[in-house]
Amino acid sequence: MTKSTITTRMRTLTRLTVANRASAAYLALVGGAMAVAAAEPLFGAGPDASLIWVWPALFTFPAFGFVAWLGEAGWGGDAPAWFFVGGIVLSALVQSLALGAVWRTLRGRRGNRRHLTTAS
């Protein structure tokens, strides 16, 4: 593989992951949930303040289920916080890539349709 082929593939993966409307909206949703979860201890001192991290995990659930399983298998249920936060980020990126691929497929089908006119 040449350097230009690798660069082209990396650009395609980047476009599918972050440079379309569906992926950008999904990443904004997950990023907003993580920002609210990170800011919650600053403003709320209730006993349930740590449960706010359930929302980012739920937004990334299908992929985050694997991360939770790895945390349980590796640390026996006592995984460090960095593992779960990193898992949420990685899960969001993986799901954003899948969402971008679906978006491109659907948009490609829509763009390939020929419009009927009176001449055809």
Side-chain angles (χ1 to χ4, degrees):
M1 245 189 274
T2 64
K3 186 176 181 181
S4 64
T5 305
I6 293 171
T7 304
T8 303
R9 288 185 180 178
M10 291 300 293
R11 284 183 183 169
T12 301
L13 285 175
T14 302
R15 271 191 225 112
L16 286 176
T17 304
V18 297
N20 59 65
R21 290 178 186 171
S23 295
Y26 174 72
L27 290 175
L29 175 75
V30 174
M34 288 185 70
V36 168
E40 177 64 27
L42 299 174
F43 303 113
D48 295 335
S50 65
L51 290 177
I52 193 76
W53 282 99
V54 169
W55 288 105
L58 286 177
F59 289 145
T60 59
F61 176 66
F64 185 74
F66 181 69
V67 173
W69 176 77
L70 281 177
E72 183 70 28
W75 283 281
D78 198 23
W82 63 265
F83 180 77
F84 287 118
V85 172
I88 289 171
V89 171
L90 185 63
S91 297
L93 290 174
V94 166
Q95 289 186 174
S96 178
L97 175 63
L99 190 61
V102 168
W103 179 262
R104 186 173 101 182
T105 301
L106 293 176
R107 295 288 290 183
R109 286 184 187 167
R110 184 175 162 210
N112 290 337
R113 282 192 300 192
R114 294 177 51 182
H115 298 286
L116 295 176
T117 62
T118 57
S120 52

